[in-house]
Amino acid sequence: MRVLPHARIPELPNPYFGKVRDCYDLPADATWPDGRRILIASDRISAFDRILAAIPFKGQVLTQVARFWFDATADIMPSHVIDYPDPNVVIGRRLTILPVEVVVRGYLAGTTSTSILTQYKKGTRALYGHVLPDGLRDNQALERAIITPTSKAFDGAHDEPLTEAEILAQGLLTPAQWEEVSAAALALYARGQKMAAARGLILVDTKYEFGLDGAGRILIADEIHTPDSSRYWLADGYQAAFESGSRPPSFDKDVIRSWVAARCDPYVDPIPEIPQAMIEATSQVYIQAYEAITGTRFVPDLAGETPLDRIRTALRPYFR
Ligand SMILES: Nc1ncnc2c1ncn2[C@@H]1O[C@H](COP(=O)(O)OP(=O)(O)O)[C@@H](O)[C@H]1O
Ligand SMILES: [Mg+2]
């Protein structure tokens, strides 16, 4: 199986191994006074703050879907992107990531305990500083998109729900920064919804990370509108599902997650070995998502003995 479980490259400096990406920070130089961050998307799939498996081509799909959207939204806000030296790799400006993850939601949806649908069904109406009306049904479109921010948990800690008032009171962002990122997030989401709709998709909700450069300018960082950071539904089939109260059809990439959750307490127990067929099916789902979102065929990069060899070759110019 051709897979990139990790991208540990000892010749690169200042490593940070995230849940999905393995990152290296290049020091500042005359051209890039903030320094650069090499972000290598591995094939790891993460849930419950754990790594569940490695899914062939997932890292390439994520990097290329993000590239599609960074290109399609550059007029709204500039991104961190400097270069794509390999299908799994982006080199970004090194930014100070703002400590708030800006989640935008257009629908009453979700399954986890922090999702607005779960809380709404428990009777909660005041959510993330918004008040939702009574009488909404599962998976209904909200009157307008709302921002449901969470704290950005650095180094594997848990994300916590926030309100605008808390963000400002705790000084996580200045009022001007909050105004800028919330306006950008809503504009990015609106663009995403519009373009997704043209391809028969619904961009249900998504998460943005923003960062500050040395001059205090805000850029969009990390990834954008990928299957990992976003929920998509298939427009065809949404209405029927909504009317019958069932979950709308989507890219079914949560099979592994559900399989694990049915077999153990995923926050505590060791993760059971995932069946190979399920891994391959999930790989196909990611590829299908790439093709549906971008409208282009996915071409797996098969160069090199392994994906890591290929990436090492592409990044050799940055070796110490
Ligand atoms: N341009 C950037 N500058 C600095 N950090 C960034 C930039 N873009 C993304 N990041 C950070 O790099 C990491 C990407 O790896 P990821 O696997 O998503 O990690 P995590 O487990 O922390 O979410 C994230 O912590 C993200 O906030
Ligand atoms: Mg992340």
Side-chain angles (χ1 to χ4, degrees), residues 16 18-21 23 37 39 80 93-95 97 152 209 221-222:
Y16 168 87
K19 289 188 286 287
V20 169
R21 277 159 257 273
C23 309
R37 170 166 275 214
L39 297 114
H80 68 158
R93 291 161 196 266
R94 166 102 173 83
L95 303 175
I97 298 295
K152 162 81 185 160
E209 289 187 28
D222 207 45

Side-chain angles (χ1 to χ4, degrees), residues 81-148:
V81 174
I82 294 172
D83 192 16
Y84 299 97
D86 177 274
N88 286 60
V89 183
V90 60
I91 298 184
R93 291 161 196 266
R94 166 102 173 83
L95 303 175
T96 303
I97 298 295
L98 297 176
V100 175
E101 299 199 342
V102 184
V103 180
V104 182
R105 300 174 189 266
Y107 290 77
L108 188 67
T111 52
T112 62
S113 62
T114 52
S115 78
I116 58 173
L117 176 57
T118 309
Q119 296 186 53
Y120 188 87
K121 284 171 99 164
K122 281 198 211 143
T124 314
R125 294 292 176 268
L127 287 159
Y128 296 90
H130 307 276
V131 179
L132 296 183
D134 283 328
L136 294 179
R137 289 164 48 198
D138 289 27
N139 306 313
Q140 186 165 347
L142 302 175
E143 206 173 322
R144 65 186 125 71
I146 59 170
I147 299 181
T148 61

Side-chain angles (χ1 to χ4, degrees), residues 84-282:
Y84 299 97
D86 177 274
N88 286 60
V89 183
V90 60
I91 298 184
R93 291 161 196 266
R94 166 102 173 83
L95 303 175
T96 303
I97 298 295
L98 297 176
V100 175
E101 299 199 342
V102 184
V103 180
V104 182
R105 300 174 189 266
Y107 290 77
L108 188 67
T111 52
T112 62
S113 62
T114 52
S115 78
I116 58 173
L117 176 57
T118 309
Q119 296 186 53
Y120 188 87
K121 284 171 99 164
K122 281 198 211 143
T124 314
R125 294 292 176 268
L127 287 159
Y128 296 90
H130 307 276
V131 179
L132 296 183
D134 283 328
L136 294 179
R137 289 164 48 198
D138 289 27
N139 306 313
Q140 186 165 347
L142 302 175
E143 206 173 322
R144 65 186 125 71
I146 59 170
I147 299 181
T148 61
T150 60
S151 57
K152 162 81 185 160
F154 293 96
D155 291 318
H158 234 57
D159 301 347
E160 299 294 343
L162 288 170
T163 64
E164 170 185 305
E166 288 165 343
I167 290 169
L168 299 177
Q170 294 171 27
L172 297 174
L173 302 179
T174 68
Q177 287 172 338
W178 170 250
E179 210 161 288
E180 186 175 349
V181 301
S182 50
L186 290 173
L188 292 165
Y189 178 72
R191 172 74 54 84
Q193 268 200 318
K194 187 161 162 240
M195 287 180 58
R199 303 209 37 80
L201 299 171
I202 297 173
L203 180 62
V204 182
D205 40 50
T206 193
K207 177 212 75 175
Y208 303 106
E209 289 187 28
F210 296 95
L212 278 184
D213 72 8
R217 192 168 71 127
I218 298 177
L219 304 178
I220 174 143
D222 207 45
E223 60 181 343
I224 170 172
H225 299 169
T226 69
D228 275 16
S229 68
S230 317
R231 186 192 327 266
Y232 287 91
W233 287 334
L234 312 184
D236 196 20
Y238 166 74
Q239 197 57 29
F242 174 63
E243 278 160 21
S244 70
S246 51
R247 182 119 47 97
S250 62
F251 302 123
D252 206 0
K253 63 186 182 57
D254 291 336
V255 187
I256 292 179
R257 190 181 202 287
S258 316
W259 187 88
V260 168
R263 273 161 191 77
C264 64
D265 177 348
Y267 289 100
V268 181
D269 302 329
I271 302 293
E273 182 162 337
I274 318 284
Q276 192 55 38
M278 205 172 279
I279 289 179
E280 272 154 33
T282 303

Side-chain angles (χ1 to χ4, degrees), residues 2-11 15-24 39-45 51 53-55 59 88-89 306-312 315:
R2 203 181 154 83
V3 74
L4 183 71
H6 70 83
R8 310 240 159 156
I9 302 180
E11 295 89 342
Y16 168 87
F17 303 125
K19 289 188 286 287
V20 169
R21 277 159 257 273
D22 290 339
C23 309
Y24 302 89
L39 297 114
I40 307 169
S42 76
D43 290 332
R44 296 191 290 273
I45 189 165
I51 307 302
I55 307 297
N88 286 60
V89 183
T306 66
L308 184 56
D309 285 336
R310 187 195 74 218
I311 290 166
R312 286 181 55 86
L315 292 177

Side-chain angles (χ1 to χ4, degrees), residues 22-54:
D22 290 339
C23 309
Y24 302 89
D25 285 338
L26 304 174
D29 61 22
T31 317
W32 304 105
D34 299 318
R36 285 170 290 177
R37 170 166 275 214
I38 299 174
L39 297 114
I40 307 169
S42 76
D43 290 332
R44 296 191 290 273
I45 189 165
S46 128
F48 321 110
D49 299 327
R50 308 277 292 272
I51 307 302
L52 303 183

